[in-house]
Amino acid sequence: MAVSWYVVAFFAASALGASIAPNQQIFEKSTCGRVWVTIHSPNIRLPGGGNLHDAIELNWDFSTCSNIPMQIGLFNNWPLSWSQALAVYTVDSSEGFVITNVSLGESKLPAGWNTGTGLKGPHCLWPWVGAGDNHIRAHNCLKIQPTWMEDNAERINKLRIGELVIPGTHNAGAWRFDTEISTLSRDSFVLCQDRSIWAQLVHGIRYFDFRIAYYDFYPREEDRYWLNHNLIRVRPLVPLLREIRAFLDSTKEVVFLDAHHFPMGFYHQDGAPIREVHMGLLRLIQRELGPHIASASQFATAHGTRGPTLQTLVDSDRRLLFSYVDNNIVAGNRWLWPILPHLWANTNSPVELFQYLDRMIDSSPQPSSRSPLFSAMAQTTPSVLDIILLRGSLRDNADNVNRNVTSRLASRWRQNANIVSSDFFLANDVVDVSIAISVDRSNRL
Ligand SMILES: *[C@@H]1O[C@H](CO)[C@@H](O)[C@H](O)[C@H]1NC(C)=O
Ligand SMILES: *[C@@H]1O[C@H](CO)[C@@H](O)[C@H](O)[C@H]1NC(C)=O
């Protein structure tokens, strides 16, 4: 039964064609508009006490449809009929979402990806969404996209890296404390993610914004490098590099690693770089990722252009690009990619964030830019007062913007966005929307 439906739905979906990548059509289908599943980032207080973590959200956008479906439901399998729904809600607007009372639960990665390399192609976690009237006419699932670049290679490989849309994570390493004193996985103002680097890669994230710090009190040099959020130590660096290495070793995907900020230990008081600390980091990166590194001296294109094509990187099997925020160090180490411009609104107001990003994405990249890439930092930044007064949390902040990030990327940012890095990325649909837009852009070349 499952097999025949798979085939029927696949052919039905391929007739629709337009902008969704072929592999995505298997799991995502709709006669018009879209539905998708996200994960609610804040906790929900339950009336009887206790907290609901990772509540499943159902989202819809039927704004292009002549009539909107009556209802939307949560399913634990391919949605065939309403009688199988775990919960059903009325659709009362052309665009919207509902937060269910159902938790994602332990979200084991499917198709063999939980512990190592699994089957190629997108795969569904358990939650599915369906919408329609008597019949379900739109469906989708919460997915992993472990091999989306390879799955779509025939179409997107001709794009230059600056022409792709690349889903990224802000403060990628800040997902759970792993220090001598803490293994905390939820807090208000430090942790920006809640999936490991491996899980982020498997979900489809291809750009990591890393904040690296150096603590000289560890005897072994490799133990001195940490991922931080500002001045707070979160996790040691080397194990994360090994997760990236394992992923690069077993896939054909391209990964962008960005040393975006060195909050501790990399600079003298007068601002001059401490060369030995920088060189120690570069040696570690070479040691752990060396065979995969695409050297800027070999692959960079002229200033103001959009860099090598995916094809070039994949053909030469050099699929890790490392950009570095200090141009003095870049000047002496020509394999490093130059400072990647970060569009940072530095505001705690969602309205100002979107005004800023709308304007900056339209005018990026700068014609003289040395980097072919630029990153839209799609999250608000708490003020010092927010932190002192414990006003809100990074999870609440992410919740206030992530739905708009999905809809902005699909519309206003569609033409020009490159890297979009967010907090708690499962609360938006940036991975699937990025893949669809990249395919769309390549179709127009
Ligand atoms: C979730 O549960 C609460 C109380 O148990 C209820 O009031 C609320 O309507 C439920 N929400 C949804 C979306 O089902
Ligand atoms: C986010 O989207 C909602 C729904 O479309 C809209 O009402 C709201 O104004 C948007 N917020 C921002 C800051 O753009």
Side-chain angles (χ1 to χ4, degrees):
M1 185 65 190
V3 171
S4 60
W5 254 94
Y6 182 105
V7 173
V8 169
F10 180 72
F11 284 115
S14 34
L16 302 168
S19 67
I20 295 169
N23 287 302
Q24 233 156 298
Q25 290 174 350
I26 301 172
F27 300 126
E28 173 172 356
K29 174 179 172 264
S30 146
T31 45
C32 80
R34 286 190 74 213
V35 290
W36 65 98
V37 179
T38 51
I39 302 302
H40 192 62
S41 51
N43 306 332
I44 297 173
R45 285 258 152 75
L46 296 173
N51 279 309
L52 175 64
H53 287 170
D54 292 343
I56 295 167
E57 293 182 8
L58 309 178
N59 305 267
W60 65 89
D61 179 357
F62 297 117
S63 54
T64 56
C65 307
S66 51
N67 56 356
I68 61 174
M70 270 160 48
Q71 52 187 15
I72 190 164
L74 171 67
F75 298 78
N76 61 7
N77 222 315
W78 194 292
L80 296 175
S81 83
W82 290 111
S83 64
Q84 300 166 337
L86 305 178
V88 178
Y89 308 89
T90 304
V91 171
D92 52 11
S93 57
S94 61
E95 281 175 74
F97 67 95
V98 54
I99 304 165
T100 72
N101 279 338
V102 182
S103 169
L104 174 64
E106 186 212 359
S107 60
K108 210 169 151 244
L109 299 170
W113 288 96
N114 208 45
T115 49
T117 314
L119 300 174
K120 284 183 195 176
H123 300 278
C124 295
L125 282 83
W126 72 264
W128 287 76
V129 55
D133 304 317
N134 291 332
H135 295 289
I136 294 163
R137 65 183 211 210
H139 67 240
N140 202 347
C141 65
L142 183 66
K143 291 180 212 75
I144 56 170
Q145 293 279 7
T147 54
W148 66 265
M149 289 177 167
E150 186 183 0
D151 303 339
N152 294 286
E154 261 177 52
R155 303 179 185 210
I156 64 174
N157 267 359
K158 53 187 188 286
L159 291 177
R160 296 180 180 278
I161 56 177
E163 296 167 333
L164 280 169
V165 188
I166 302 169
T169 45
H170 164 243
N171 257 315
W175 70 276
R176 177 193 285 158
F177 286 93
D178 181 12
T179 70
E180 295 83 352
I181 53 166
S182 176
T183 55
L184 204 65
S185 61
R186 293 175 95 87
D187 82 325
S188 293
F189 289 108
V190 177
L191 301 179
C192 298
Q193 308 296 338
D194 54 11
R195 293 296 184 277
S196 70
I197 295 293
W198 174 262
Q200 293 180 37
L201 285 163
V202 169
H203 273 284
I205 298 295
R206 294 291 175 266
Y207 163 87
F208 297 115
D209 169 340
F210 273 5
R211 317 297 169 98
I212 304 171
Y214 180 80
Y215 297 91
D216 59 12
F217 49 76
Y218 289 95
R220 284 203 314 173
E221 188 188 20
E222 69 169 65
D223 297 336
R224 297 177 184 160
Y225 292 89
W226 283 72
L227 288 196
N228 274 36
H229 188 167
N230 297 328
L231 299 182
I232 299 174
R233 220 151 39 102
V234 183
R235 309 182 67 83
L237 174 66
V238 170
L240 302 188
L241 298 179
R242 296 200 173 143
E243 291 176 42
I244 296 173
R245 173 64 185 262
F247 187 78
L248 288 166
D249 280 350
S250 57
T251 65
K252 296 262 176 291
E253 303 297 290
V254 177
V255 175
F256 301 87
L257 185 56
D258 184 15
H260 175 177
H261 186 47
F262 298 112
M264 195 87 151
F266 279 74
Y267 289 90
H268 293 291
Q269 294 246 304
D270 66 1
I274 305 176
R275 282 200 177 265
E276 195 38 42
V277 173
H278 285 273
M279 292 312 126
L281 172 62
L282 298 189
R283 281 194 302 272
L284 271 186
I285 301 275
Q286 285 283 1
R287 186 185 87 189
E288 298 298 331
L289 301 170
H292 294 294
I293 292 174
S295 162
S297 61
Q298 188 182 351
F299 292 100
T301 55
H303 289 189
T305 61
R306 311 308 305 272
T309 62
L310 273 188
Q311 187 81 57
T312 307
L313 297 170
V314 171
D315 285 351
S316 46
D317 203 21
R318 296 284 175 164
R319 294 176 286 106
L320 189 276
L321 284 75
F322 185 46
S323 54
Y324 209 78
V325 75
D326 188 321
N327 275 342
N328 281 319
I329 305 294
V330 174
N333 297 275
R334 305 292 307 283
W335 58 279
L336 297 173
W337 291 75
I339 297 181
L340 194 156
H342 303 101
L343 311 184
W344 182 38
N346 192 11
T347 173
N348 64 2
S349 146
V351 171
E352 284 175 19
L353 172 73
F354 289 106
Q355 283 170 350
Y356 172 88
L357 288 178
D358 286 354
R359 195 173 69 241
M360 295 302 287
I361 290 174
D362 279 350
S363 58
S364 293
Q366 298 291 315
S368 59
S369 178
R370 294 183 56 196
S371 173
L373 304 164
F374 65 94
S375 170
M377 298 181 61
Q379 67 290 134
T380 52
T381 306
S383 68
V384 172
L385 216 51
D386 292 338
I387 296 174
I388 293 171
L389 301 177
L390 293 178
R391 258 191 323 224
S393 74
L394 294 178
R395 286 180 176 272
D396 294 322
N397 292 359
D399 188 53
N400 288 333
V401 301
N402 264 330
R403 296 179 197 88
N404 298 67
V405 170
T406 308
S407 61
R408 278 300 219 278
L409 180 58
S411 55
R412 170 86 196 230
W413 302 346
R414 191 176 187 93
Q415 289 304 320
N416 230 25
N418 179 212
I419 296 164
V420 177
S421 58
S422 60
D423 283 351
F424 301 105
F425 69 95
L426 289 180
N428 60 50
D429 199 32
V430 165
V431 172
D432 277 3
V433 174
S434 297
I435 298 171
I437 300 178
S438 292
V439 168
D440 222 40
R441 288 182 182 175
S442 70
N443 287 342
R444 270 195 242 130
L445 282 186

